[in-house]
């Protein structure tokens, strides 16, 4: 942990609120020559360089990032670490993609050595892309989550993860039972939930792969441990939705399956929600649950076009998810770029400030972590990214024509990816440097 006080001089973008709620001008502050001060992992000052410097006393170290832009670390609200090795698998939509590519790769995680190796590669990749917090799927194997948390703890990351629960409609080598899934989850919760910066998410894969008995067990766990998360998939693909209807004919729809078993909570995060009815959006909103919008995945698997504006109209919390390995990039910048295109296909605009909000503070809010992370505010944990606006020859040339910060941000997102990340800091410590 960084014990000394460190001051970072850079351009700084500080998101403070949702532009959809307060308007663009009130949503952020920009310090072209700014100073961010961190002590013992916590932000102690942020503001323009001259006044902030004058307010500092005692010794501190100065780090100069004057031609860079500092923003809060990115928050990925839906990703699968075991799918790192099969990202970019050709030709299928959701259900065949799961069967042909995903399940065989996930089987390999019964070996904790392989799981530990992939956890390292995965967490390196997050750091390279400026992602400092993620809500992460493991596999059905308890040890896959154990090794993931061990590695995340070693890096002092704020991470949320859980063991997949899946007791039917999947290969035998990947299924558990309601009882052992419950027991394994319980042991992992006792060991890892609220362990430093780590939290646990009870993780039924999706309604088709859990029996009603298993979903009851999920509801039971959530009652026994009210502060844990619930993480699953919802209404991603039309065939999947029809399958859920045939498996649960007594329920009113896909969301109602989860609702019936007590799975709708403020800390419930549903990936996708591409094809939801108005009633379902309403129910998500009143329960305080969140949707993870996963643009690169929705395009890659041909799932459909998510309407961010509609979801927000219902007051549903929305975070951004890469959904690797169905998603094709670990970069939240690339994810925002694809989100922009998804909105364009629906004749709607996604402003770059709103995008940055979604990828940081909006994600933190969706996870109820906005008191700790998501923006560069005094008292919050010092998870931040140093962006390089001139990362490539093209970006450098294009940036010369960018007149405003908002234009620069849009170029950063449209053209940027891991090459645009100069450094990533976790709890005040350097975690990655280009
Ligand atoms: N639905 C159930 N499992 C998965 C998965 O692993 N990825 C995606 N994108 N959707 C799912
Ligand atoms: Zn997913």
């Amino acid at each position: 942990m960084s014990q000394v006080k460190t001051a970072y001089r850079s351009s700084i973008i500080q998101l403070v609120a949702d532009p959809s709620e307060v308007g663009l001008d009130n949503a952020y502050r920009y310090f072209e020559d700014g100073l961010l001060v961190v002590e013992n992992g916590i932000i102690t000052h942020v503001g323009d360089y001259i006044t902030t410097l004058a307010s500092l006393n005692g010794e501190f170290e100065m780090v100069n990032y004057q031609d860079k832009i500092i923003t809060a670390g990115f928050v990925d609200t839906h990703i699968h670490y075991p799918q790192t090795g099969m990202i970019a698998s050709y030709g299928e939509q959701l259900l065949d993609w799961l069967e042909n590519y995903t399940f065989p790769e996930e089987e390999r995680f019964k070996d904790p050595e392989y799981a530990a190796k992939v956890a390292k590669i995965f967490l390196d990749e997050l750091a390279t892309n400026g992602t400092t917090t993620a809500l992460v799927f493991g596999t059905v194997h308890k040890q896959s989550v154990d090794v993931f948390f061990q590695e995340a703890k070693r890096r002092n990351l704020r991470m949320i993860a859980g063991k997949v629960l899946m007791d039917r409609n999947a290969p035998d080598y990947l299924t558990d039972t309601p009882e052992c899934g419950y027991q394994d989850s319980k042991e992992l919760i006792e060991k890892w939930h609220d362990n430093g910066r780590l939290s646990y998410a009870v993780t039924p894969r999706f309604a088709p792969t859990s029996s009603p008995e298993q979903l009851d067990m999920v509801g039971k766990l959530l009652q026994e441990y009210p502060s844990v998360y619930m993480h699953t998939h919802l209404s991603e693909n039309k065939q999947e939705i029809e399958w859920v209807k045939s498996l649960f004919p007594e329920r009113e729809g896909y969301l109602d399956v989860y609702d019936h078993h007590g799975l709708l909570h403020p800390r419930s995060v549903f990936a996708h929600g591409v094809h939801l009815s108005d009633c379902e959006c309403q129910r998500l909103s009143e329960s305080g649950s969140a949707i993870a919008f996963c643009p690169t995945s929705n395009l890659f698997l041909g799932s459909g076009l998510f309407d961010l504006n509609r979801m927000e109209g219902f007051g549903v919390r929305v975070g951004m998810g890469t959904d690797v390995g169905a998603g094709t990039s670990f970069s939240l910048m690339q994810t925002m770029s694809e989100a922009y295109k998804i909105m364009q296909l629906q004749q709607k605009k996604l402003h770059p400030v709103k995008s940055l909000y979604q990828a940081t503070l909006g994600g933190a809010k969706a996870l109820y972590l906005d008191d700790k992370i998501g923006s560069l505010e005094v008292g919050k944990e010092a998870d931040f990214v140093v962006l390089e606006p001139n990362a490539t020859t093209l970006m450098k040339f294009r940036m010369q024509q960018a007149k405003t910060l908002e234009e620069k941000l849009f170029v950063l997102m449209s053209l940027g990816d891991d090459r645009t990340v100069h450094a990533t800091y976790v709890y005040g410590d350097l975690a990655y440097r280009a």
Side-chain angles (χ1 to χ4, degrees):
M1 191 199 279
S2 58
Q3 297 297 336
V4 283
K5 193 181 329 192
T6 308
Y8 302 88
R9 184 177 187 179
S10 172
S11 295
I12 295 172
I13 308 177
Q14 184 191 42
L15 264 297
V16 292
D18 187 345
S20 307
E21 285 170 16
V22 301
L24 272 180
D25 291 346
N26 295 319
Y28 75 99
R29 298 187 197 112
Y30 178 54
F31 307 102
E32 184 154 20
D33 185 11
L35 200 66
L36 174 76
V37 186
V38 176
E39 195 169 4
N40 296 330
I42 303 295
I43 297 168
T44 59
H45 304 71
V46 57
D48 81 89
Y49 175 73
I50 292 179
T51 40
T52 309
L53 187 68
S55 71
L56 292 184
N57 41 40
E59 281 184 24
F60 61 90
E61 186 189 331
M62 180 74 92
V63 178
N64 197 330
Y65 286 130
Q66 257 175 296
D67 51 348
K68 311 280 190 280
I69 302 174
I70 290 183
T71 176
F74 297 121
V75 177
D76 188 338
T77 62
H78 178 68
I79 188 165
H80 301 250
Y81 102 80
Q83 296 176 12
T84 306
M86 47 71 72
I87 186 172
S89 291
Y90 172 77
E92 307 295 1
Q93 296 215 348
L94 177 63
L95 301 178
D96 293 323
W97 174 86
L98 283 172
E99 201 171 304
N100 297 344
Y101 297 115
T102 315
F103 291 156
E105 175 63 15
E106 291 194 6
E107 187 193 8
R108 301 180 72 186
F109 288 72
K110 64 178 188 246
D111 170 11
E113 261 178 53
Y114 183 66
K117 177 179 146 186
V118 178
K120 286 197 177 83
I121 294 170
F122 173 87
L123 290 172
D124 284 349
E125 206 56 41
L126 291 193
T128 306
N129 283 279
T131 299
T132 49
T133 286
L135 173 57
V136 183
F137 258 67
T139 63
V140 75
H141 314 96
K142 184 180 160 199
Q143 61 273 23
S144 76
V145 177
D146 235 357
V147 300
F148 177 80
F149 275 135
Q150 276 162 23
E151 189 58 28
K153 174 132 187 146
R154 202 179 64 71
R155 300 175 190 224
N156 201 19
L157 286 160
R158 186 166 280 291
M159 285 286 150
I160 312 166
K163 177 203 116 67
V164 168
L165 298 162
M166 180 154 65
D167 70 344
R168 64 169 178 174
N169 295 324
D172 288 344
Y173 60 75
L174 270 190
T175 48
D176 57 10
T177 64
E179 296 70 30
C180 79
Y182 170 83
Q183 205 50 45
D184 284 354
S185 302
K186 208 172 164 77
E187 284 167 29
L188 287 165
I189 291 169
E190 296 285 347
K191 186 169 175 188
W192 295 109
H193 186 59
D194 281 341
N195 179 336
R197 304 186 80 202
L198 306 173
S199 306
Y200 194 82
V202 182
T203 309
R205 177 168 220 118
F206 65 158
T209 47
S210 284
S211 64
E213 295 71 35
Q214 181 157 69
L215 294 173
D216 273 339
M217 290 298 197
V218 174
K220 187 167 172 223
L221 282 167
L222 298 178
Q223 282 202 335
E224 288 171 355
Y225 300 96
S227 68
V228 302
Y229 290 84
M230 199 290 299
H231 186 196
T232 191
H233 296 92
L234 170 69
S235 293
E236 174 179 6
N237 164 292
K238 292 201 170 146
Q239 243 186 317
E240 169 211 17
I241 295 168
E242 289 310 310
W243 193 22
V244 173
K245 278 187 193 154
S246 70
L247 289 168
F248 298 89
E250 65 287 12
R251 302 275 76 89
E252 272 172 37
Y254 200 156
L255 187 69
D256 189 47
V257 174
Y258 295 134
D259 205 1
H260 176 79
H261 293 277
L263 273 53
L264 266 69
H265 284 264
R267 285 172 177 232
S268 301
V269 180
F270 297 93
H272 308 297
V274 176
H275 310 282
L276 293 172
S277 69
D278 286 358
C279 289
E280 288 177 311
C281 297
Q282 191 57 44
R283 182 67 194 115
L284 282 171
S285 171
E286 67 196 24
S287 65
S289 305
I291 290 282
F293 174 19
C294 307
T296 73
S297 165
N298 294 163
L299 293 171
F300 184 74
L301 292 183
S303 302
L305 304 177
F306 179 85
D307 186 347
L308 177 62
N309 296 4
R310 171 173 177 251
M311 208 52 73
E312 288 193 335
F314 281 98
V316 180
R317 293 163 182 261
V318 180
M320 301 307 301
T322 60
D323 194 26
V324 164
T328 47
S329 173
F330 280 82
S331 166
L332 262 299
M333 275 183 284
Q334 275 297 294
T335 302
M336 296 316 311
S337 175
E338 298 307 297
Y340 175 83
K341 296 170 194 170
I342 284 183
M343 296 307 283
Q344 279 282 49
L345 282 166
Q346 300 171 95
Q347 279 69 51
K348 288 166 190 167
K349 288 181 196 173
L350 183 57
H351 192 279
V353 170
K354 173 69 174 169
S355 287
L356 185 62
Y357 170 83
Q358 286 304 129
T360 55
L361 189 54
K365 276 204 175 136
L367 301 175
Y368 291 85
L369 288 174
D370 49 308
D371 57 330
K372 300 183 179 69
I373 56 159
S375 62
L376 303 172
E377 290 176 273
V378 172
K380 286 199 182 180
E381 298 166 359
D383 289 349
F384 61 93
V385 196
V386 184
L387 298 175
E388 169 57 90
N390 301 313
T392 66
T393 312
L394 173 63
M395 287 182 82
K396 195 170 175 182
F397 180 61
R398 175 64 181 87
M399 283 297 176
Q400 287 167 10
Q401 344 269 330
K403 291 179 189 65
T404 62
L405 168 73
E406 294 179 9
E407 192 181 347
K408 266 191 196 173
L409 264 183
F410 187 63
V411 174
L412 253 176
M413 280 167 196
S414 301
L415 304 181
D417 48 36
D418 54 343
R419 293 167 300 176
T420 334
V421 174
H422 178 73
T424 304
Y425 285 79
V426 171
Y427 210 71
D429 283 331
L430 184 67
Y432 164 77
R433 197 183 175 116

